[in-house]
Amino acid sequence: MTDKILFISLYEPSKAGERIGGPVILANDILSVTNPDLNVDLIVYKKEKIMSELPEHINFVSWSKLANRTKKRNFLGMLPKNLYHDIPCYTIDVQAYHKIIYYPYFTALFLLKNCNAQIYTIGMDSGPMIYLRGFVRHRNLITRAFCLYGFMQALAIDKKAAGVSEKVFTVGKADAEFYRAVYLADAKYIPHPITPLIDGYSPIEWNKGEKLRLCFPGGLTRYYASGLMDDLIRLFIKRSEELKNKIQISFLGKIRYKQLKNKMDHLSSLGVMIEYTEFAEDFEEYLSKQHLILLPLVNGGGTKNKTLSSLGMGLDMIGTSIAMENVYGVRKEHVAETAEDFMRLIDLRINQHKLYGLKEEEIQRLKSYHSVNHWRKYFWNEIQ
């Protein structure tokens, strides 16, 4: 008799990512390579039905069929900016299941009833490690205090997930090392899959006489990018008279903090063209209309889907080591740690009128390394 498996997810899987992005795409990718002979049920936090098309052999189970609210929010769940929300208030009856998969590690906060199952956690990345990185890298004292607050919460949640799990799986090498070092968990890194949605697109040409289209592809909040992003825009402002005839900027998403908004407005007033797009219905199409992707992250973990999609499409890109970590095929022309490094690499492209996107054979090696089939071999086959 085949073991029954319950995949507990905070997010509804989706090929396109919708407004959440990476987490829902990764969930979809992992479920898409489930072995057909496995008996897998999917339950999604508070979802009675889902709009996404699931693989044939994945059975969706409504939230209310297995889960009930059995507790009130405690003090931690009512604090501002808390990570718990009302997740610990719900109990899931898992009597029918032999194996449980948590996705991501936050789902370890659910209470399990009648549990005799083996538990596995797909952490994606390590929350405590990300908050710790933020505490070390940010200059703003308020942001550092927020990171310390998040670190203490995430550490407790991660500890619970690691403690009940047979194995923890991540899409970041450093994340897996954190699980092993801090919790002595059996943690395994599996490369983040690259979305097949990029296959229908190729980047536009950068023709002679055209401005270089620089693109900030979203996710540049105070928590993830402040400091470095501000420094980079400050350099653009300083050189605006020279650059306004050489570059134009595309900015995806809302500007999340006032300091950056003021700098972007100032840069625009100096004649540098800036296009704002709040949300791209087709993210891959949006990327394909750019020349150079810029991802000046000072914080993060795991693997960045924006980096995979950009390089996998053949786009040129410059990002920090955090933006580029765990991605196959990254070259020195793609990595910058300071605003001055970013400007030097942008100048390199302008002066040479040359982009540094991956060549076709490099793209194929990237796609092979980040093939979703690794999740069939190293995850589904391993938990059978």
Side-chain angles (χ1 to χ4, degrees):
M1 181 179 176
T2 305
D3 286 349
K4 286 198 72 174
I5 301 172
L6 181 62
F7 192 106
I8 304 174
S9 177
L10 284 186
Y11 312 105
E12 177 179 339
S14 169
K15 294 178 183 178
E18 312 307 330
R19 286 184 179 268
I20 296 177
V24 299
I25 296 173
L26 180 58
N28 179 82
D29 289 343
I30 293 170
L31 289 169
S32 74
V33 290
T34 307
N35 295 328
D37 57 336
L38 290 180
N39 188 356
V40 181
D41 286 352
L42 167 70
I43 185 172
V44 180
Y45 179 46
K46 294 185 177 180
K47 292 282 187 177
E48 293 302 308
K49 59 182 179 179
I50 59 175
M51 305 301 293
S52 306
E53 182 181 341
L54 294 175
E56 290 180 13
H57 42 282
I58 303 297
N59 311 301
F60 175 74
V61 178
S62 64
W63 179 249
S64 61
K65 185 172 182 179
L66 296 179
N68 289 289
R69 188 169 184 133
T70 55
K71 294 172 65 178
K72 294 182 178 179
R73 280 198 191 198
N74 61 17
F75 172 72
L76 290 174
M78 291 186 284
L79 290 173
K81 302 289 184 180
N82 79 87
L83 302 178
Y84 297 88
H85 305 290
D86 64 350
I87 297 172
C89 301
Y90 287 91
T91 297
I92 303 174
D93 190 343
V94 297
Q95 184 174 16
Y97 298 95
H98 303 92
K99 291 174 182 176
I100 307 294
I101 299 168
Y102 286 144
Y103 180 85
Y105 71 95
F106 288 100
T107 49
L109 291 171
F110 292 125
L111 301 172
L112 299 183
K113 178 182 176 182
N114 300 318
C115 182
N116 294 302
Q118 292 178 318
I119 298 174
Y120 301 87
T121 294
I122 302 172
M124 284 197 304
D125 43 37
S126 168
M129 186 197 76
I130 296 173
Y131 283 110
L132 191 58
R133 281 180 168 181
F135 179 79
V136 171
R137 290 169 179 260
H138 277 294
R139 301 189 295 242
N140 183 278
L141 291 178
I142 295 175
T143 306
R144 295 188 77 196
F146 168 76
C147 289
L148 186 59
Y149 170 57
F151 171 75
M152 298 305 295
Q153 295 179 79
L155 194 67
I157 300 170
D158 240 5
K159 182 179 180 180
K160 181 177 181 183
V164 299
S165 297
E166 301 288 323
K167 286 194 175 184
V168 177
F169 299 84
T170 75
V171 291
K173 294 176 183 176
D175 306 82
E177 289 170 2
F178 190 93
Y179 274 107
R180 288 192 289 265
V182 176
Y183 310 110
L184 303 181
D186 186 355
K188 185 170 188 174
Y189 160 72
I190 304 177
H192 193 301
I194 187 167
T195 175
L197 294 176
I198 64 173
D199 292 344
Y201 297 102
S202 56
I204 59 172
E205 296 287 332
W206 180 27
N207 297 314
K208 287 284 187 182
E210 280 187 330
K211 294 179 181 179
L212 178 64
R213 294 181 64 92
L214 308 179
C215 173
F216 295 102
L220 299 174
T221 64
R222 181 188 298 275
Y223 174 62
Y224 286 109
S226 68
L228 180 55
M229 180 68 181
D230 303 300
D231 290 346
L232 182 55
I233 300 303
R234 193 177 294 114
L235 286 182
F236 284 157
I237 290 171
K238 187 176 180 179
R239 294 179 54 188
S240 59
E241 188 62 31
E242 167 199 357
L243 291 175
K244 66 183 182 182
N245 296 317
K246 297 180 179 180
I247 67 168
Q248 67 183 74
I249 295 172
S250 300
F251 192 99
L252 179 61
K254 293 181 179 179
I255 300 181
R256 298 290 183 177
Y257 58 104
K258 188 176 181 180
Q259 185 180 2
L260 178 59
K261 176 71 166 61
N262 291 341
K263 284 186 174 63
M264 297 292 283
D265 288 346
H266 185 196
L267 180 62
S268 180
S269 72
L270 294 173
V272 175
M273 183 185 296
I274 304 176
E275 292 179 352
Y276 293 100
T277 304
E278 185 172 321
F279 177 69
E281 290 289 345
D282 189 327
F283 179 66
E284 289 72 27
E285 180 184 29
Y286 176 85
L287 285 182
S288 72
K289 294 178 179 178
Q290 316 302 327
H291 295 137
L292 177 59
I293 306 301
L294 302 178
L295 204 53
L297 298 182
V298 298
N299 196 17
T303 304
K304 316 307 173 291
N305 209 48
K306 296 178 178 69
T307 304
L308 273 179
S309 295
S310 299
L311 292 180
M313 196 185 292
L315 273 162
D316 193 4
M317 183 173 183
I318 305 171
T320 58
S321 55
I322 282 182
M324 313 302 280
E325 66 182 334
N326 305 305
V327 176
Y328 182 88
V330 173
R331 301 198 298 257
K332 68 178 189 294
E333 290 89 359
H334 298 139
V335 183
E337 301 296 355
T338 66
E340 289 75 18
D341 291 340
F342 272 87
M343 280 305 314
R344 178 177 55 80
L345 291 176
I346 292 169
D347 285 338
L348 174 70
R349 287 150 171 84
I350 291 173
N351 294 335
Q352 294 184 348
H353 194 84
K354 177 182 177 181
L355 298 175
Y356 286 84
L358 299 182
K359 295 181 171 58
E360 183 57 36
E361 60 272 19
E362 294 173 313
I363 292 173
Q364 293 310 312
R365 288 197 293 271
L366 169 74
K367 289 182 175 180
S368 176
Y369 181 83
H370 291 281
S371 169
V372 70
N373 288 320
H374 293 311
W375 279 87
R376 177 183 290 119
K377 182 176 180 180
Y378 298 114
F379 177 71
W380 291 111
N381 287 351
E382 189 144 333
I383 72 168
Q384 279 185 272

